[in-house]
Amino acid sequence: MKKIISFVLMCCLLCTGAMAVDFEILDKEDIFAPEIIENEKVSSWAKEEVDLATVLGLVPPLTDHPAFTGSITREQFAELIVNLVEKVLGKQIDTASSDTFTDSANVAVLKAYEAGIITGVGEGKFAPKNTTNREQIATMIYRATQYLAEQTGENLTPNAGSIEGFTDKASISSWAAEGVGKLAANDIMKGTSATTASPQDACTVEQSILLIYRVYQKA
C-alpha cells in the first residue's frame, strides 16, 4: 500500500510540475582527470578502425590503462593478441603454469606463452613492462596466425613472405624476418614506407589495435 501511495503522489507532483528539475550538462573535463581524457584520445587517422575494433570487442581493458598514442608494452600486447585469438576461436585458450615467469602472473601472458605466441627474455623472466617494437609485434602476430591455423585449419597468411624489398632489411633480426615478410605480403603489417620496414621502431597502442583488427578481418 505504501508503494502505491508513493507512486500516486509522485505522479501528481510530476503532473503539477512541482518536481521539475534542471539538469546541468557537464563537459568530460568536469568529470574526468586530465590524464584519463588524454589516454582516451585516438589519432584521427586511426579513429575509424579503432572504433570498429572496439565495437567488435577486440579492445579489452589493458593493464595500466595506456594512452592510445603511447608505446605498447609486452604485457599489453599479450592481452590484445590473446583476446583476438579467443574471439576468433570462440573459446578460452589454455593457460601455462602460474610460475612460468618470475615477474608476471598475468593470465593473458600465460595463455600467449602456452599457445607459443610469446616467449620470455631469459632467466625465467617475461619483462612485462618493457615496450615492444615492430619486428617483435610482427613475430607475435605471425605466431598467433600459425596457432589459429593449427586450431581452425585456415591459413590467414597464404602469400609467400619476403623482406628483400625493404632497403633496411639488414636491421631486421634474423628471428623476425619470416614474420615481418609474411605480414607485409599479406597486408597485415606493411612497411612505414614502400621500401622501409623500420623494424626497431616502437609500436603504439592504436597501431597495435589496427594490426589486430586486420588479422580479425582475415579470420
Side-chain angles (χ1 to χ4, degrees):
M1 178 60 72
K2 288 181 179 179
K3 290 183 179 179
I4 295 173
I5 294 172
S6 296
F7 177 76
V8 172
L9 287 172
M10 182 175 290
C11 289
C12 293
L13 289 169
L14 286 172
C15 291
T16 59
M19 288 189 66
V21 178
D22 291 328
F23 292 96
E24 180 183 0
I25 299 175
L26 298 175
D27 292 329
K28 61 183 179 180
E29 288 80 4
D30 298 322
I31 304 171
F32 301 109
E35 58 269 21
I36 293 178
I37 296 171
E38 187 64 31
N39 282 1
E40 296 298 332
K41 289 181 180 178
V42 182
S43 299
S44 57
W45 57 265
K47 183 170 175 49
E48 182 177 353
E49 286 180 290
V50 169
D51 286 347
L52 288 170
T54 302
V55 170
L56 290 168
L58 300 177
V59 188
L62 300 180
T63 297
D64 298 330
H65 191 66
F68 283 107
T69 55
S71 297
I72 196 165
T73 65
R74 285 167 53 80
E75 155 179 75
Q76 290 160 355
F77 191 78
E79 292 168 342
L80 272 181
I81 198 72
V82 165
N83 182 69
L84 165 70
V85 169
E86 292 185 337
K87 286 286 183 186
V88 173
L89 295 179
K91 65 177 183 179
Q92 300 282 309
I93 60 178
D94 293 336
T95 307
S97 171
S98 59
D99 61 357
T100 299
F101 298 113
T102 59
D103 59 350
S104 178
N106 185 304
V107 173
V109 169
L110 297 176
K111 286 182 175 182
Y113 179 81
E114 184 70 11
I117 297 170
I118 60 97
T119 59
V121 297
E123 299 181 351
K125 296 183 180 299
F126 177 67
K129 304 304 180 184
N130 285 8
T131 55
T132 186
N133 61 27
R134 285 173 52 83
E135 69 172 12
Q136 292 167 347
I137 281 182
T139 300
M140 288 186 279
I141 291 176
Y142 180 53
R143 289 174 185 158
T145 63
Q146 290 180 303
Y147 177 78
L148 286 170
E150 292 171 2
Q151 297 294 312
T152 66
E154 184 177 357
N155 186 2
L156 303 183
T157 54
N159 299 333
S162 173
I163 61 171
E164 292 306 310
F166 293 121
T167 56
D168 57 353
K169 64 183 180 181
S171 62
I172 301 173
S173 302
S174 57
W175 50 263
E178 184 178 13
V180 171
K182 271 287 193 179
L183 265 57
N186 288 277
D187 297 324
I188 295 174
M189 179 190 276
K190 290 185 172 291
T192 52
S193 76
T195 58
T196 55
S198 304
Q200 307 305 321
D201 283 6
C203 204
T204 65
V205 173
E206 62 189 6
Q207 289 169 343
S208 301
I209 292 171
L210 264 57
L211 295 172
I212 294 297
Y213 176 63
R214 290 170 191 165
V215 176
Y216 184 80
Q217 286 182 302
K218 293 178 176 292

